[in-house]
Amino acid sequence: MKKQLVQLIQSKINQVLKNYGIDNNSAIDLQIPPDKKNGDFSINAAMKFAKLCKCPPQKLAGEIKTLLETETQWFSKVCIAGPGFINMYLADAIIEKFFNELCQSENLLQTNVTEIVPTVVDYSSVNIAKQMHVGHLRSTIIGDVLARVIEALGNPVIRQNHLGDWGLPMAMVIYKAEPVVRKAEKEGVSLEEVLPLASLEQLYKAATAECKEDSKVATACHEYLVRLQQGDSELLDLWKKITRVSMAEVYRIYKLLNVKLTEADERGESFYRNMLADTVEEIKKSGLLKEDEGAQCVFLDEFKSKEGTPLPVIIQKSDGGYNYATFDLAAMRYRTKELGAKRIIYVTDARQVLHFKQVFATARATGILADPNVSLEHVPFGSILGEDNKPLKTRSGENVKLSELLNEAVDRAYAVVNEKNPKLSDEYKKEVARMVGIGAVKYADLSQNRNNDYVFSFDRMLALNGNTAPYLQYAHARICSIFRRAEKSIDDYCAKAIISAPEERELMLKIMDLKQSVVSVATDLRPHVLCNYLYELSVCFSSFYDKCSVMNCKDEATKASRLEICNMTRKTLAFGLDLLGIEAPREM
Ligand code: ARG
């Protein structure tokens, strides 16, 4: 409806402007007045164009108003306010028309794709042999939402898990794990038994300490790295085994988090190992590769240190080894050339802002992108803080383990569910506790402006009131219970919606706003916009349900209509929560 409305208003404004000899093609900015009394929508076009037309804004507004008033099927009233705002009141019939069309349509987003943009979303991108900690949580869940949202709008999405699996940490773990693996093999013990992720992490920590203390160990680890990168078959075999043990644990957490990444999405740094030399060769051809203290670097004018000295992007180290940036450049080449990406999105914490600025600029300057028009977008995010406002740590100062955090959320959610509805079976309570606990953790993160740090608080995220997952899930379950009481099937309910109260009208308009918030998330890559929308939708539903009785409604057509409005609210909530990767129980 919004789209047609904007088109209509645009054409009226252009018609008026034409009389002043102005050919306008700038888009109008349709606003929603904060006070409903001032109409459903408002525009400031008259003020914007007054100067250009050499005409008082009030007069211009009057002329636009006159044209809008002819559209009686759209507007019940058009008014001029203040210095020249035009406030518009939609006719109930037009809201009903578009709302009923939405009820009939298969797809809540009513997508008709005109331009398909193949999009790579690089997210989660964990490091092998290290436990996933809370720092990886944000990349994983924000990235997953962005992928789902862009996909829902009809674009092919290629998920890429850019694992850290080919650097020194990996060589260090292999160095320490080798004797353990050999012993296990001799004794016929499975690796899954001796090398779970926790002990791999111990091995990595031990190696780090030993490397610091003993230069011989450091040299040995370095030799392992060279051997691995040269393709030593024995080390490669160990590397593969360690990777699988490590990833098995990561997949357990993805599943718990309801995150869509699979083994098919793994494109670790190792994947690019045979493309690095070619990438460097191509960069060399651009003439931008310069030697600096033995390393091959690219210097770009826009990157200087505070003191004004040029900052390099190191492409190849003096020992011939490659850098984090080199892998990213090789990956960009691959993604544009082989995957046909027109848009590449990277989700990492804000500490990597400079890195991505540099590699994006380097890729463009050196011409290694198969498609120079590809959009390269870094999606940075802040940290998760503890209640003390410092980065979230355990009491002993360790990084908090993601799996422990999630388990605690589920346990606490169980208590909430149990208190709310003790009559549910224990098995179902556990199922709901999982949805609510995990949903609460994800939503608390997603509902924040991602650039900010936020304080992790179980009490706040599990509250049944306020902008939380349980509040939305509860609204969803409440609607399901209305249908159970009405003895109607919620999955194929269908009736004509009519407006008989202002709360119905408001809720119908809100439901029709879904697409706008989804498009906004796909464009600006900020999931909290969708969270805010779903929260406002639930609040609207609450006022509707307070004022408009459904079950006790005497008029059959009104009752059927109200059930349909409930039905559409539920569908929209479930759809939106699914885009956030959050499940919505039907009872809680
Ligand atoms: N593994 C990296 C880290 O943990 C993140 C990789 C992000 N993706 C990329 N293409 N650089 O810091």
Side-chain angles (χ1 to χ4, degrees):
M1 181 177 75
K2 270 266 176 68
K3 201 166 151 199
Q4 284 93 331
L5 181 64
V6 168
Q7 274 166 4
L8 177 79
I9 300 172
Q10 186 82 66
S11 76
K12 300 292 176 195
I13 294 175
N14 291 352
Q15 212 174 316
V16 169
L17 293 179
K18 222 175 200 150
N19 295 336
Y20 291 90
I22 291 162
D23 225 0
N24 172 54
N25 43 24
S26 69
I28 58 160
D29 180 17
L30 197 59
Q31 284 172 347
I32 299 181
D35 188 347
K36 271 276 146 195
K37 278 200 228 81
N38 296 325
D40 299 305
F41 299 104
S42 154
I43 48 171
N44 63 1
M47 282 117 84
K48 196 171 137 196
F49 289 107
K51 235 198 190 141
L52 211 59
C53 298
K54 298 193 183 72
C55 162
Q58 296 267 359
K59 178 166 180 278
L60 206 56
E63 288 166 11
I64 299 171
K65 169 180 163 309
T66 307
L67 283 188
L68 289 172
E69 275 169 346
T70 60
E71 301 291 336
T72 48
Q73 79 280 27
W74 275 94
F75 305 111
S76 60
K77 195 164 82 173
V78 182
C79 306
I80 299 175
F85 287 104
I86 304 170
N87 293 342
M88 290 158 279
Y89 300 74
L90 288 177
D92 285 354
I94 199 85
I95 299 177
E96 290 172 351
K97 172 181 176 284
F98 279 102
F99 186 81
N100 284 306
E101 267 173 35
L102 181 62
C103 297
Q104 297 294 325
S105 84
E106 295 269 300
N107 175 342
L108 282 179
L109 294 177
Q110 297 177 301
T111 30
N112 55 341
V113 194
T114 44
E115 195 197 357
I116 288 182
V117 184
T119 303
V120 163
V121 186
D122 176 324
Y123 70 105
S124 194
S125 303
V126 297
N127 299 320
I128 299 298
K130 292 193 197 170
Q131 290 241 12
M132 258 178 110
H133 56 74
V134 292
H136 290 118
L137 177 69
R138 299 206 78 183
S139 173
T140 306
I141 65 180
I142 294 172
D144 200 55
V145 173
L146 300 179
R148 285 174 192 249
V149 163
I150 293 168
E151 205 159 48
L153 289 168
N155 298 294
V157 167
I158 311 159
R159 294 169 169 78
Q160 299 278 280
N161 199 349
H162 192 87
L163 306 174
D165 63 354
W166 202 243
L168 189 59
M170 205 58 213
M172 285 156 66
V173 173
I174 296 174
Y175 172 76
K176 291 294 289 183
E178 191 176 24
V180 183
V181 173
R182 296 293 171 245
K183 184 163 173 269
E185 280 169 351
K186 219 193 239 152
E187 292 168 3
V189 186
S190 85
L191 288 185
E192 281 70 25
E193 233 166 274
V194 291
L195 279 188
L197 198 43
S199 80
L200 278 178
E201 202 185 7
Q202 291 308 321
L203 293 177
Y204 174 66
K205 279 190 183 148
T208 313
E210 284 175 38
C211 283
K212 249 192 209 143
E213 268 163 31
D214 186 344
S215 66
K216 272 202 226 91
V217 180
T219 314
C221 285
H222 207 95
E223 274 166 23
Y224 266 59
L225 179 65
V226 174
R227 267 175 66 200
L228 175 70
Q229 296 193 335
Q230 283 169 350
D232 179 301
S233 65
E234 228 170 274
L235 287 195
L236 265 179
D237 182 55
L238 274 171
W239 169 82
K240 242 182 233 147
K241 286 180 175 142
I242 290 172
T243 304
R244 287 340 305 162
V245 171
S246 192
M247 286 310 287
E249 171 70 4
V250 172
Y251 283 114
R252 212 179 56 76
I253 292 174
Y254 287 162
K255 185 157 174 254
L256 192 60
L257 278 174
N258 192 20
V259 156
K260 284 190 167 176
L261 286 168
T262 68
E263 214 173 309
D265 306 316
E266 285 180 23
R267 291 287 182 285
E269 294 183 340
S270 63
F271 178 80
Y272 302 100
R273 59 184 184 257
N274 297 324
M275 305 176 202
L276 298 165
D278 278 357
T279 306
V280 175
E281 220 22 67
E282 206 170 324
I283 295 175
K284 202 180 256 165
K285 276 196 210 127
S286 74
L288 288 173
L289 208 57
K290 300 259 147 57
E291 195 175 315
D292 186 58
E293 293 175 27
Q296 298 294 321
C297 308
V298 172
F299 291 93
L300 297 172
D301 284 344
E302 60 249 63
F303 301 105
K304 296 226 164 66
S305 72
K306 274 196 209 99
E307 292 75 37
T309 49
L311 281 179
V313 176
I314 302 176
I315 306 290
Q316 198 165 15
K317 291 180 278 193
S318 53
D319 64 2
Y322 299 103
N323 247 352
Y324 184 48
T326 327
F327 288 95
D328 264 327
L329 291 165
M332 274 186 234
R333 210 167 152 253
Y334 172 79
R335 290 167 182 181
T336 49
K337 220 180 227 152
E338 307 298 328
L339 301 181
K342 300 274 173 230
R343 185 181 191 195
I344 311 179
I345 293 167
Y346 298 84
V347 190
T348 80
D349 71 63
R351 285 171 303 183
Q352 298 199 28
V353 166
L354 179 63
H355 165 76
F356 282 106
K357 273 195 184 141
Q358 285 189 309
V359 292
F360 291 172
T362 304
R364 295 208 191 276
T366 55
I368 60 155
L369 300 167
D371 175 1
N373 294 322
V374 64
S375 172
L376 303 170
E377 298 165 59
H378 181 220
V379 178
F381 51 79
S383 317
I384 307 182
L385 306 177
E387 309 243 14
D388 57 358
N389 273 318
K390 299 213 181 88
L392 190 62
K393 292 269 150 93
T394 60
R395 276 208 191 88
S396 56
E398 302 262 318
N399 277 331
V400 175
K401 303 250 187 316
L402 201 46
S403 61
E404 282 168 19
L405 190 88
L406 296 175
N407 289 340
E408 182 167 354
V410 174
D411 288 348
R412 286 176 181 246
Y414 183 89
V416 174
V417 175
N418 197 28
E419 195 182 314
K420 188 88 198 156
N421 198 345
K423 287 200 294 283
L424 297 173
S425 78
D426 195 53
E427 200 185 338
Y428 187 70
K429 273 183 210 161
K430 283 196 179 125
E431 180 68 6
V432 176
R434 183 184 59 74
M435 297 184 199
V436 171
I438 301 296
V441 171
K442 292 180 81 171
Y443 192 86
D445 190 293
L446 293 165
S447 59
Q448 299 293 322
N449 180 337
R450 60 171 162 73
N451 288 82
N452 301 340
D453 297 345
Y454 73 91
V455 174
F456 188 96
S457 155
F458 277 123
D459 288 336
R460 215 169 326 131
M461 68 178 68
L462 284 165
L464 282 164
N465 275 314
N467 190 6
T468 65
Y471 177 73
L472 302 183
Q473 289 168 319
Y474 184 61
H476 178 270
R478 205 164 154 204
I479 301 174
C480 295
S481 95
I482 298 171
F483 275 76
R484 279 194 299 275
R485 273 183 290 142
E487 296 180 353
K488 297 265 192 272
S489 153
I490 199 159
D491 292 306
D492 40 32
Y493 187 81
C494 183
K496 186 164 183 292
I498 40 180
I499 296 175
S500 64
E503 290 80 12
E504 294 167 338
R505 191 179 184 280
E506 186 107 343
L507 181 53
M508 282 156 80
L509 281 173
K510 198 78 206 168
I511 290 170
M512 286 193 278
D513 269 348
L514 168 73
K515 180 158 185 182
Q516 202 185 352
S517 67
V518 174
V519 169
S520 153
V521 176
T523 314
D524 302 331
L525 309 176
R526 297 188 177 281
H528 77 276
V529 172
L530 178 58
C531 296
N532 285 350
Y533 166 76
L534 293 173
Y535 176 60
E536 286 168 13
L537 175 67
S538 308
V539 171
C540 255
F541 173 75
S542 246
S543 335
F544 156 85
Y545 198 58
D546 273 353
K547 290 278 156 51
C548 305
S549 135
V550 180
M551 297 306 287
N552 300 324
C553 180
K554 294 285 173 290
D555 180 69
E556 275 311 312
T558 307
K559 180 172 176 178
S561 160
R562 288 184 178 168
L563 277 169
E564 180 65 18
I565 298 171
C566 288
N567 182 29
M568 286 300 284
T569 308
R570 185 202 73 84
K571 277 195 194 168
T572 308
L573 270 174
F575 183 84
L577 284 169
D578 185 59
L579 287 181
L580 299 176
I582 295 173
E583 293 171 86
R586 292 196 163 193
E587 207 174 340
M588 68 183 265

